[in-house]
Structure formats: structure tokens, C-alpha cells
Amino acid sequence: MSKIEIDKLSGCCFGVEKAIKKAEEELQKGGTLYCLGDIVHNNIEVERLAKMGLITINHEQFKELKNVRVLLRAHGEPPSTYEIAKENNIELIDASCPVVLGLQKRIKKKYITRPNADAQIVIFGKKGHAEVNGLLGQTDESAIIIESKEEIESLDFSRDISLFSQTTKPLDGFQEIGEMIEARMKNGAHFEFYDTICRQVSNRVPNMHEFARKHDLIIFIAGEKSSNGKVLFAECKKHNPNSYLIHHPDHLDPELIKEDISIGICGATSTPMWQMEALAQKIAALKPEMEVEKAAF
């Protein structure tokens, strides 16, 4: 039987949802509202909020502002952002994800209380990513960022290492890196492993595997800038080679929609549910006989 199924566990994580809701609430109050960086790595959603009045700025522009309101997105910010806001009388609407804020506090505490200046704080994450920049700022920019297991060679295994992770990294990859570092420690150096990955995000991987296997065709929708989207789409592709990544409902290739086919629609933690629903309706318009439903695991 032909059907279209939307993965109900896909869509924005609670941190991103909270930031978007906060932006909408503040915009309804009227007046100018800035957002420091894209509120979410999803161009369609950024454009929707821009039409409501949200003005996206970068950090250089932020430094020049005074006496305005600025929303901080879910990714979190380094201490320097709060210092600039205080100096320039900027009212911050802080929509940082609570999980990210908790991680920032843990890293800052470890940095302040580390037993000696030689101790290394290591963060497994994407260099330049907004969340990672915020974490790096908790250590006065001294933490070492590694993006892959190959990069652990840059570490000094004869010195203490405390390992943290960007909240949205894959859990299995993080654990593997932790095991590799621990096995290399020498001369009595101490290793500490802190599991700081958000389970709401990491638990999507096994769900994505099951969802991908259920269907003949997977259409995955995510913004071009979404790191999480690239990771989750790769997981889909592993379990269903007939998986396709698109960045906008209008990018759907009608040639993919065949007769008597089961289609699964899913997305990244930065993909709002309404975009997956819009994609489902677009497919249904091509094949009116198809039934649309949300997956229930």
C-alpha cells in the first residue's frame, strides 16, 4: 500500500524549539530584535523569522551595537559576548540551550580547578561551530579541539587530559575516542572522560536506523549548514541506500515518487516539523491516493 510517513521523533530539539519560541514572543512585543548568528541552521526558518522582523547579525556587527535587544540562540556564547553586552548596554534575551549551558559550567569549573597548568582540556567537536566557540571561551581559548580520532595525535599523553564533547556529536564516535586516549596515557598522567552528549539528539540515531529500514524511499530534509543533518542523513543512507537529502520541500524530485511505494520523511534537529509536513503535502499532491501519517515508535 502506498503511504507517506513522517518520523515524529524528527524535528527541532527542545533547545532549538525554545529559542524559536522565544524569538516569536519577543517579536510580538514590537521594536527591533537582533539575533546573534542564524537562530537555527535552516535557511527556510531563518527567512520565516526575518519576515517577522528578526535581524540576524554576526559578532563583528554585535560589537558595534548599543542600547538594543539581542537574542542569543540555543548554541550558547562565550563569556566575551556577555561582557560586550554589558559594556554596550545591550539587553540579552538568552535562549541558550540548558544542556549547553550546563556543559559550559562543567568545562569552566574544570578549567578553574585543574590541578596544574599543564593539564589539557580537550573538546570533541567541530572547529568554528557556534557551540564549540562558546565552550572554548570557558577556558580562555586554551582548550584543544579535535574533530576526529586521527587528531588525538596532537595531544600530549604524558599530561593530564579531561575530555568533553560538543552536545550533538555521535555517542559511539565519542566513546571510541575516549577509549583510544585512555589507552595511550603514560607516565602516570590522569585521564577523565565526561559524557556530555545530549541524549535527545543521540537517541535519534537508533530511531533513524529503524525508520529508514521501514520504507522503500527516505526523503531527509535539513538546512545546508546543519552539521547534525549531515550526520543523521549518513545514518539513514547506511540503512536505506534509497535515501535522498534535500534542503527545501520545493527541491523534491517528482521522479522519485513511484506507484505502490512507502515513503519516509525525516529531518535534522534543526528541521521544524512544519517543513516535513509541507514536504508530505507536496508528495501527496503528486500522488493523491497516498495516505499521510506520523510514525509512532
Side-chain angles (χ1 to χ4, degrees), residues 1 17 60 81 100 136 145 159 222 237 240 283 285:
M1 176 183 162
E17 276 188 352
E60 289 306 310
T81 296
V100 173
L136 188 58
I145 311 300
R159 293 159 49 197
K237 195 85 173 171
N240 186 334
I283 295 171

Side-chain angles (χ1 to χ4, degrees), residues 14 24 42 55 68 76 80 103 108 110 126 128 133 147 173-174 189 199 207 241 244:
F14 80 93
E24 290 172 336
N42 185 290
I55 302 169
V68 295
S80 58
L103 173 54
K108 185 173 184 177
K110 174 53 62 178
K126 183 178 179 182
N133 290 341
E147 294 190 334
F174 181 43
R199 288 303 187 269
N207 168 69
Y244 295 85

Side-chain angles (χ1 to χ4, degrees), residues 40-42 75 125-132 147 166 168-170 201 220 222-234 245 268-270:
V40 61
H41 291 149
N42 185 290
H75 300 86
K126 183 178 179 182
K127 291 167 187 166
H129 188 280
E131 180 189 328
V132 174
E147 294 190 334
Q166 180 180 341
T168 54
K169 296 299 281 183
V201 175
F220 189 98
E224 294 176 50
K225 298 179 184 177
S226 174
S227 301
N228 170 260
K230 292 181 179 71
V231 170
L232 287 181
F233 174 67
L245 171 64
T269 55
S270 52

Side-chain angles (χ1 to χ4, degrees), residues 139-150:
T139 68
D140 289 333
E141 311 295 318
S142 67
I144 301 166
I145 311 300
I146 58 171
E147 294 190 334
S148 65
K149 58 187 178 183
E150 288 76 21

Side-chain angles (χ1 to χ4, degrees), residues 48-111:
R48 182 183 75 85
L49 290 167
K51 287 175 183 174
M52 292 176 65
L54 187 64
I55 302 169
T56 301
I57 56 170
N58 59 35
H59 283 78
E60 289 306 310
Q61 293 168 317
F62 175 71
K63 292 174 185 176
E64 302 302 318
L65 295 176
K66 293 185 191 310
N67 311 311
V68 295
R69 289 185 303 155
V70 177
L71 182 129
L72 303 184
R73 55 194 177 165
H75 300 86
E77 285 291 324
S80 58
T81 296
Y82 294 87
E83 291 163 10
I84 292 167
K86 189 174 180 181
E87 289 169 9
N88 292 358
N89 194 36
I90 294 172
E91 179 190 349
L92 292 180
I93 292 94
D94 198 340
S96 300
C97 172
V99 176
V100 173
L101 288 177
L103 173 54
Q104 287 186 353
K105 288 177 184 175
R106 291 179 74 178
I107 290 178
K108 185 173 184 177
K109 183 178 179 181
K110 174 53 62 178
Y111 176 66

Side-chain angles (χ1 to χ4, degrees), residues 179-241:
E179 290 165 5
M180 290 175 70
I181 293 174
E182 187 170 28
R184 299 280 295 275
M185 299 301 289
K186 57 189 179 184
N187 301 338
H190 187 55
F191 174 66
E192 293 176 319
F193 177 90
Y194 296 92
D195 183 352
T196 54
I197 288 175
C198 177
R199 288 303 187 269
Q200 193 196 19
V201 175
S202 66
N203 288 344
R204 293 192 182 193
V205 173
N207 168 69
M208 199 65 75
H209 294 170
E210 185 177 348
F211 184 76
R213 289 193 296 263
K214 281 180 66 178
H215 298 284
D216 302 312
L217 170 68
I218 292 291
I219 307 291
F220 189 98
I221 182 166
E224 294 176 50
K225 298 179 184 177
S226 174
S227 301
N228 170 260
K230 292 181 179 71
V231 170
L232 287 181
F233 174 67
E235 294 295 332
C236 275
K237 195 85 173 171
K238 271 189 216 170
H239 292 264
N240 186 334

